[in-house]
Amino acid sequence: MVNYKDLGLVNTREMFKRAVAGGYAIPAFNFNTMEQMQAIVMAAVETKSPVIMQVSKGARNYANATILRYMAEGAVAYAKELGCAHPEIVLHLDHGDSFELCKDCIDMGFSSVMIDGSHLPYEENVALAKKVVEYAHQFDVTVEAELGVLAGVEDEVSAAESHYTKPEEVIDFATRTGCDSLAISIGTSHGAHKFTPEQCTLVNGVLVPPPLAFDILHEIEKKLPGFPIVLHGSSSVPMDEVNTINQYGGKLEAAIGIPEEQLREASKSAVCKINIDSDSRLAMTAAIRKHLAEHPGDFDPRQYLKPARENMKKMYIHKIVNVLGSDGKLAQ
Ligand SMILES: [Zn+2]
């Protein structure tokens, strides 16, 4: 059993409080490789931003839970080596699907966990989230729970259609579970294919997806003033990365994300954590495809992973500075 504080990590409580009050959002970037981890830390240090490094159940299966925990510990040490005296790094479990998985992560040094019972009947979701909160809070680990269902596919999480969060449920849910933050469904979606072209409107040759349900978000804010809200499935799926992938042999059809202006607007509200995973996958794949197409003789992974890391870092910095507004927001 190891406590996250011994690894130099922090939970989300203080950074969320500041983010809600300050009208910005903390980036939550998924990772499962060393290059992603390095790019996240470099971007956070350069922009002086708090950051949430999150791993899904699939990432744990891919990279090994023990290795990820040491990578997070390494991330803190690396941030300090890069000149950040007091980094604020959270190691978060994304979409925990059972009490046992959440407990296992807490016992291994995670500082924050998500328990996702959103697919369960309401009362079962409440009971499961409450059980995780009771365990987590003994160790000062923060808990994210979810109400409403996001459409899309990401790792082992998938749903055919979305169900918006019902604002009339949020007070009861937050009070009875004791959760520290709430993931809601207002029209974001998992994966790189968030919408079908039929759901979009064609504006100047570009497919624009339906807008996020800001009315629902504002209603939730009114019910739970100052309570930290989380948006999942918030990659914007940049067309230049998709085009690069397709130009160099890829075949990504109709990949559509959430427009960054909408995320920028959401960041100014009680939304204080925005999850971005697909954009990192796209940035990495685009750089690797381009490099290998232009240098067919290369076979040293460092030759193509270095530009991949650079491209992800550039994307992370862009999100922090231009979309979420968390740059310069370290406590000290
Ligand atoms: Zn998610």
Side-chain angles (χ1 to χ4, degrees):
M1 167 109 203
V2 57
N3 188 277
Y4 68 89
K5 288 170 190 170
D6 298 327
L7 307 181
L9 299 162
V10 298
N11 67 23
T12 58
R13 197 169 290 122
E14 288 307 312
M15 65 173 70
F16 281 177
K17 215 183 276 174
R18 298 193 323 256
V20 174
Y24 59 92
I26 310 290
F29 298 131
N30 288 69
F31 82 108
N32 46 67
T33 74
M34 182 187 77
E35 287 76 15
Q36 284 175 315
M37 182 272 268
Q38 290 172 316
I40 293 169
V41 173
M42 287 189 278
V45 168
E46 267 184 43
T47 57
K48 300 185 168 56
S49 173
V51 72
I52 296 167
M53 297 179 51
Q54 58 185 20
V55 294
S56 62
K57 191 178 167 185
R60 283 184 103 222
N61 292 339
Y62 173 80
N64 176 283
T66 307
I67 288 176
L68 286 170
R69 173 228 136 150
Y70 282 102
M71 279 170 80
E73 189 176 7
V76 175
Y78 183 44
K80 289 182 178 169
E81 201 181 302
L82 290 175
C84 181
H86 302 282
E88 291 178 58
I89 299 176
V90 174
L91 178 61
H92 175 77
L93 169 68
D94 192 19
H95 290 288
D97 59 358
S98 67
F99 171 78
E100 290 70 28
L101 175 59
C102 291
K103 180 182 180 295
D104 197 35
C105 286
I106 293 164
D107 293 349
M108 274 194 118
F110 280 57
S111 58
S112 176
V113 292
M114 174 192 193
I115 178 67
D116 181 1
S118 61
H119 53 286
L120 298 170
Y122 181 79
E123 286 300 328
E124 288 176 40
N125 188 1
V126 170
L128 179 60
K130 187 169 187 285
K131 190 177 175 191
V132 171
V133 169
E134 279 167 3
Y135 185 76
H137 282 185
Q138 294 175 61
F139 309 99
D140 204 19
V141 168
T142 40
V143 179
E144 174 185 326
E146 178 164 337
L147 263 182
V149 177
L150 267 71
V153 182
E154 187 182 79
D155 288 0
E156 281 147 44
V157 182
S158 82
E161 52 184 294
S162 68
H163 297 280
Y164 286 168
T165 305
K166 297 180 189 141
E168 62 273 21
E169 287 179 348
V170 298
I171 297 179
D172 182 70
F173 187 82
T175 314
R176 284 170 62 202
T177 63
C179 66
D180 301 280
S181 61
L182 183 65
I184 61 167
S185 171
I186 56 165
T188 60
S189 157
H190 287 126
H193 301 83
K194 299 187 190 299
F195 307 95
T196 61
E198 293 74 42
Q199 291 174 296
C200 303
T201 340
L202 198 62
V203 181
N204 300 328
V206 181
L207 287 172
V208 179
L212 299 181
F214 280 101
D215 51 334
I216 294 179
L217 172 60
H218 295 320
E219 244 184 281
I220 292 170
E221 281 187 289
K222 252 186 257 164
K223 303 250 184 213
L224 293 173
F227 195 82
I229 301 296
V230 177
L231 284 190
H232 280 243
S234 296
S235 280
S236 57
V237 188
M239 267 306 129
D240 50 344
E241 305 293 7
V242 173
N243 291 340
T244 303
I245 288 172
N246 288 339
Q247 184 187 342
Y248 295 103
K251 201 167 188 290
L252 280 182
E253 280 164 17
I256 299 165
I258 309 293
E260 290 190 335
E261 310 79 68
Q262 302 230 346
L263 298 171
R264 204 174 293 131
E265 192 179 334
S267 302
K268 291 176 186 151
S269 69
V271 169
C272 63
K273 172 176 180 267
I274 291 190
N275 290 6
I276 294 168
D277 188 359
S278 296
D279 285 354
S280 155
R281 299 176 178 193
L282 292 168
M284 188 173 205
T285 302
I288 291 173
R289 278 198 179 277
K290 182 170 189 285
H291 183 91
L292 289 178
E294 288 173 350
H295 307 87
D298 282 0
F299 66 97
D300 178 346
R302 290 172 296 189
Q303 290 167 317
Y304 52 84
L305 289 175
K306 198 174 171 195
R309 188 170 65 193
E310 273 308 306
N311 204 33
M312 285 189 286
K313 179 187 162 189
K314 201 176 86 189
M315 187 276 292
Y316 293 137
I317 290 178
H318 164 70
K319 297 286 179 186
I320 289 170
V321 175
N322 301 316
V323 184
L324 310 185
S326 64
D327 50 313
K329 298 296 196 294
L330 285 173
Q332 48 179 326

